[in-house]
Amino acid sequence: MVISVVEKKFSRKPLVANAGVVKTVLVMLFSHLSIGLLCVNVMFDLFVLGAPAYLVKWFASTSLFRNYMTVLIDWSTPIVFNLPFCWSGTTIYVEDPSKLAKSKSDNSLMLSNHGSRIDWMVGMYVGYSKNVCEAFSKVRRSRVGFVCEGIIQYMPLIGWYRRLVCEDVFVMRSFKQDAQVIRDNCNTFHAVGTKRMLFSSPEGVVVDFGERDRKYIMDCQKFCKDLGYKPFEYVLTPRYKGITCLVEQVKHGGSIFSVCMAFVRDGKLLNIQMTSMDREIPDMYSLLQGIGGSPIDIYINMEELFFSEDDDIKSIIMKDYVRKDKLLKEWHMELQGCGPENFQKKFTVCETNNWMVQFSQVMHTVLMVVLAKHFDFLLHLLFFCTSLVLIIAIVHTLGWVLNATSMESVPFETGIKAVVMLVFGSKHKSSEDNKKRV
C-alpha cells in the first residue's frame, strides 16, 4: 500500500531553531556575514584569478588550462567550507575510511542520496580532507565535480564559479538533451588526464512541504509499488537513465560508489521520512547556525557498485535505493534507541588540516586588501562588501517570507527560487516520467 502523505498544513520554519530574538539576530548576522565573505572571496578567485586563464586558453594547451584551474580550485576550496564546517562545528563521520580513500585515488563516480541542499559542500570537504586510511597514504586531495540542475550555473558568483572554473555537469532534466552533455563533459577531462571525484544525486530534486511536493512524493511511492518494491520512506525514486551516461566517468579506470548521507542535529536525524512534517532539509544557513550551539553532524556510508553501461542499471540502482532507504531507517532507529554517542562509535571522523584552512582564509583577505590598497580601491571594497552582505540578508529574508523556508544551496537561491516559484509555480514531473528523466 502506498504510504499516505501527511496533509497537515506546513508552518513557517524559524530562522534559527530553538532560539530567542537576541540569539536569532546574532546567529543570522554571523550567517549573512559568512555568506558575504564567501561571495567576496569566490568573486575574487573567479574574476581576478580565474577569468584571465580564459584569455590564454586560446594559445595554451587544454591540459595546462585545466591543471591551472585544478590548482585554483584547491586554493578556493578551504574558504568554501571553513565557516560552515570548521567555525560552525560541523563534523563529518565516515563508516569505512578505506572506501573514501579509494574514491580519491582515481576517477570516481559518487551516487548519493539527496537529503540536503549542501551535498556539494560535503563533497568539497571530503575531497580536501586528510588521509583517513594508511593503506592509501599517498592519496591527498582530489578535484571534486558535481552533476547539478541547470539553473545553478546562472546563480551569481558560486554558480558562475562552478560553471567557469570547476566545469561541472549541468543538466536540464531531459535525458535526450543531457546525454551528450554528460558524455562530452567526462570526455574533455579524460582527454587531458585530469582526474576527479564526480558527485551525482540520482533523485534529482529536493522536495519541501508544498502541495506539489506532496504529490511528487506520492508519485514516487506509486512508482516503487508499480515496479514491485515497497515504497521508499526516506528517499525519492532515482533517475537511473542518466547514470548510463555517467559511467563514462570511469571508463578508463576508477570506481563507482553508492553514498548515503545522514544529517543529525542534537541527536535527531533531520532527513527522516519524506512524509514527516518534522523533516528538515539542511542548507548553508543550517550549517552556519551551528555557531549558536547546535552544529550538524554528517554520517556517510559508502558501498562500491560494479556495473557498466550495458548492464541493467535500472534494477541495480533501484536495489541500491532499497538499501539506502533501509539503512536510513536503521540509523533513525539507532539514534532514537542508543543516542548519538553510541551511534558515533562505528564511524571515523573525517578531518581536515584546520591550520591550512585558516591560512587560506587569511591569505584570501590579505591578498584582496593589499591589491585594493595598491589600486586605491580600499574604501570601495569596504562599501561593496557591506552592500553585498545587506543584499544577501534582504534576498534570503524575502525568500524565507515568500516560501516559508530557507533553501540556500548556493548564495541568493532562497530569494531567487522563491520569486520564480511565486511567478511560474514549482514544477515537478510525475513518476510516470521517471523512465524518461536523468
Side-chain angles (χ1 to χ4, degrees):
M1 182 177 68
V2 177
I3 301 171
S4 62
V5 176
V6 176
E7 294 295 337
K8 177 182 176 182
K9 183 176 176 58
F10 173 61
S11 58
R12 186 181 309 282
K13 293 285 185 183
L15 282 170
V16 181
N18 306 318
V21 175
V22 174
K23 185 176 181 180
T24 295
V25 170
L26 292 176
V27 170
M28 290 307 297
L29 178 60
F30 170 77
S31 300
H32 294 321
L33 287 171
S34 298
I35 294 177
L37 181 59
L38 170 62
C39 287
V40 172
N41 286 326
V42 169
M43 182 186 68
F44 177 82
D45 290 349
L46 174 62
F47 292 113
V48 178
L49 303 179
Y54 277 87
L55 299 178
V56 301
K57 183 180 180 182
W58 303 109
F59 55 85
S61 68
T62 304
S63 178
L64 180 62
F65 168 80
R66 192 154 287 130
N67 287 338
Y68 172 78
M69 288 304 190
T70 298
V71 173
L72 178 57
I73 292 170
D74 201 42
W75 156 260
S76 302
T77 294
I79 57 97
V80 171
F81 67 72
N82 182 30
L83 296 173
F85 285 79
C86 300
W87 281 45
S88 301
T90 304
T91 305
I92 295 181
Y93 298 86
V94 183
E95 193 168 26
D96 188 342
S98 66
K99 293 177 181 176
L100 174 57
K102 183 178 181 180
S103 71
K104 296 173 66 175
S105 65
D106 199 347
N107 281 316
S108 61
L109 175 61
M110 317 291 277
L111 303 176
S112 174
N113 65 313
H114 209 7
S116 79
R117 290 187 166 95
I118 39 79
D119 301 344
W120 69 279
M121 280 191 163
V122 177
M124 294 188 74
Y125 183 95
V126 299
Y128 194 89
S129 63
K130 288 182 179 179
N131 298 328
V132 289
C133 179
E134 292 183 2
F136 289 85
S137 59
K138 294 183 180 180
V139 178
R140 298 185 180 275
R141 301 167 191 163
S142 62
R143 175 168 175 157
V144 179
F146 303 91
V147 180
C148 317
E149 61 176 319
I151 193 174
I152 294 296
Q153 64 188 310
Y154 304 115
M155 293 290 174
L157 301 179
I158 297 291
W160 302 341
Y161 185 91
R162 298 303 318 176
R163 172 69 178 185
L164 298 174
V165 175
C166 303
E167 298 180 89
D168 287 339
V169 182
F170 295 95
V171 295
M172 304 302 294
R173 308 296 184 212
S174 167
F175 176 72
K176 289 183 178 179
Q177 292 177 342
D178 295 328
Q180 195 58 46
V181 171
I182 294 171
R183 289 193 173 95
D184 288 346
N185 183 280
C186 292
N187 286 327
T188 57
F189 278 83
H190 292 322
V192 295
T194 302
K195 299 184 183 301
R196 62 176 172 172
M197 178 190 293
L198 184 63
F199 275 81
S200 175
S201 296
E203 292 166 62
V205 297
V206 173
V207 291
D208 290 296
F209 300 92
E211 181 180 349
R212 291 178 182 270
D213 299 298
R214 291 195 295 268
K215 175 64 166 57
Y216 188 76
I217 294 170
M218 288 189 291
D219 285 342
C220 287
Q221 293 176 339
K222 182 179 182 299
F223 183 70
C224 287
K225 183 181 178 182
D226 291 343
L227 290 179
Y229 296 100
K230 181 181 177 181
F232 300 151
E233 298 180 67
Y234 292 79
V235 293
L236 299 170
T237 50
R239 303 176 176 196
Y240 50 84
K241 274 202 170 183
I243 297 174
T244 62
C245 302
L246 285 170
V247 173
E248 199 86 13
Q249 165 70 6
V250 295
K251 72 175 184 179
H252 296 306
S255 305
I256 303 174
F257 285 94
S258 169
V259 179
C260 187
M261 291 192 283
F263 300 83
V264 178
R265 183 176 58 209
D266 295 330
K268 297 180 179 178
L269 183 66
L270 301 181
N271 53 319
I272 57 177
Q273 297 96 325
M274 292 286 175
T275 56
S276 174
M277 298 304 291
D278 294 323
R279 177 172 59 96
E280 293 188 39
I281 308 164
D283 69 344
M284 293 179 68
Y285 280 89
S286 304
L287 295 178
L288 291 163
Q289 288 165 16
I291 196 77
S294 294
I296 290 178
D297 293 329
I298 303 170
Y299 296 89
I300 301 177
N301 164 273
M302 295 175 61
E303 296 294 336
E304 190 167 1
L305 300 177
F306 301 92
F307 60 83
S308 66
E309 188 173 350
D310 298 326
D311 291 328
D312 183 6
I313 293 179
K314 173 181 175 180
S315 297
I316 293 171
I317 299 302
M318 284 299 293
K319 288 178 181 177
D320 181 58
Y321 262 74
V322 170
R323 183 192 66 83
K324 285 179 179 175
D325 191 66
K326 181 180 179 182
L327 180 62
L328 286 171
K329 184 176 182 178
E330 289 175 354
W331 284 358
H332 191 185
M333 299 300 292
E334 284 185 49
L335 283 164
Q336 290 178 324
C338 69
E341 295 80 9
N342 292 323
F343 182 70
Q344 288 173 2
K345 290 180 180 179
K346 63 181 181 180
F347 293 86
T348 300
V349 175
C350 183
E351 298 179 338
T352 191
N353 188 327
N354 191 57
W355 287 108
M356 183 62 71
V357 171
Q358 303 312 318
F359 175 76
S360 179
Q361 184 79 66
V362 170
M363 288 307 298
H364 268 84
T365 303
V366 169
L367 188 56
M368 281 190 292
V369 171
V370 168
L371 287 177
K373 187 173 182 179
H374 177 74
F375 291 103
D376 197 23
F377 196 71
L378 197 55
L379 289 178
H380 294 82
L381 177 62
L382 180 61
F383 175 77
F384 174 80
C385 292
T386 304
S387 302
L388 182 60
V389 171
L390 183 61
I391 292 171
I392 287 170
I394 292 173
V395 171
H396 179 265
T397 304
L398 174 64
W400 175 75
V401 169
L402 291 176
N403 203 47
T405 189
S406 176
M407 44 186 174
E408 205 88 347
S409 63
V410 296
F412 305 104
E413 188 170 4
T414 299
I416 292 174
K417 278 195 171 180
V419 172
V420 170
M421 291 168 67
L422 180 67
V423 175
F424 300 103
S426 71
K427 296 181 180 180
H428 285 316
K429 297 183 180 181
S430 70
S431 62
E432 297 299 324
D433 294 323
N434 267 351
K435 299 176 182 178
K436 302 177 183 178
R437 296 178 300 157
V438 173

